Amino acid sequence: MNTRLINTQTAKTQMANTRCPCGQNQHYSECCEPYHLNVNTAADVETLMRSRYCAFVFQEFQYLLDTHHPDFLNGLSIALLAENASSTTWLGLTVDEANQTANHGTVTFKAWFLHDGIIDAIFEASQFERVGGQWFYTTGEQKQAKLPKRNETCICHSGKKFKTCCLKKIS
């Protein structure tokens, strides 16, 4: 078993009784873990998107593939998802908007991360489709994210100012 996998499993074990990285005020074991273990399926697009963010945090790449619409994979694989995973630290998730109809939905969010000493975000309006009662990610429209100002609330939801929290992680 490789070190990255051991560290990810250790982090998940420690996280089981702490707040879930998806931003909901629940323990991981009661929030996104049942989706990652295929015990539950997401009832709405926001829940699916949050569980997918959490899957990036815990490197649950099979879950990401399983919840990605097969017609939109475009060669996506576990190997591609894992390429930069060990050098990426996920900092926080902000959901700006979520809308859905019976079989289509959109979630606009910012998923903040630290990679190679730079803080950035996936700022996307993600599209989802329901097939056979299950929601799947299809595509996303990328947007440009702006870092918060120094005195604004931190992106990791610590409640601290950005300058005294995640801004200190920039090398």
Side-chain angles (χ1 to χ4, degrees), residues 145-160:
K146 293 181 185 177
L147 283 176
K149 293 182 171 122
R150 296 172 44 80
N151 288 320
E152 291 180 345
T153 304
C154 193
I155 54 180
C156 71
H157 307 289
S158 66
K160 298 177 184 177

Side-chain angles (χ1 to χ4, degrees), residues 84-147:
N84 294 311
S86 63
S87 61
T88 300
T89 302
W90 293 96
L91 301 173
L93 174 69
T94 303
V95 175
D96 294 337
E97 185 176 15
N99 299 298
Q100 71 183 54
T101 61
N103 293 317
H104 294 85
T106 303
V107 179
T108 303
F109 68 92
K110 293 178 193 89
W112 295 96
F113 62 92
L114 175 69
H115 181 75
D116 290 338
I118 298 170
I119 294 177
D120 202 355
I122 298 170
F123 184 13
E124 180 175 295
S126 294
Q127 303 299 312
F128 297 88
E129 184 176 328
R130 187 184 339 227
V131 179
Q134 184 175 346
W135 286 104
F136 293 93
Y137 171 82
T138 58
T139 61
E141 176 191 337
Q142 301 298 310
K143 301 175 180 233
Q144 186 65 41
K146 293 181 185 177
L147 283 176

Side-chain angles (χ1 to χ4, degrees), residues 41-59:
T41 57
D44 57 70
V45 293
E46 183 176 344
T47 300
L48 178 59
M49 192 283 309
R50 287 181 180 280
S51 70
R52 287 176 55 83
Y53 169 80
C54 192
F56 276 104
V57 172
F58 289 129
Q59 301 177 17

Side-chain angles (χ1 to χ4, degrees), residues 37-87:
L37 295 174
N38 294 316
V39 173
N40 292 340
T41 57
D44 57 70
V45 293
E46 183 176 344
T47 300
L48 178 59
M49 192 283 309
R50 287 181 180 280
S51 70
R52 287 176 55 83
Y53 169 80
C54 192
F56 276 104
V57 172
F58 289 129
Q59 301 177 17
E60 292 286 346
F61 302 128
Q62 187 60 55
Y63 178 78
L64 291 168
L65 291 178
D66 291 346
T67 57
H68 199 116
H69 194 293
D71 292 347
F72 296 88
L73 282 172
N74 299 320
L76 187 64
S77 66
I78 289 176
L80 283 173
L81 289 167
E83 271 183 9
N84 294 311
S86 63
S87 61

Side-chain angles (χ1 to χ4, degrees), residues 5-17:
L5 183 57
I6 291 170
N7 290 340
T8 301
Q9 289 174 340
T10 300
K12 280 178 63 178
T13 300
Q14 292 170 347
M15 183 60 84
N17 293 316

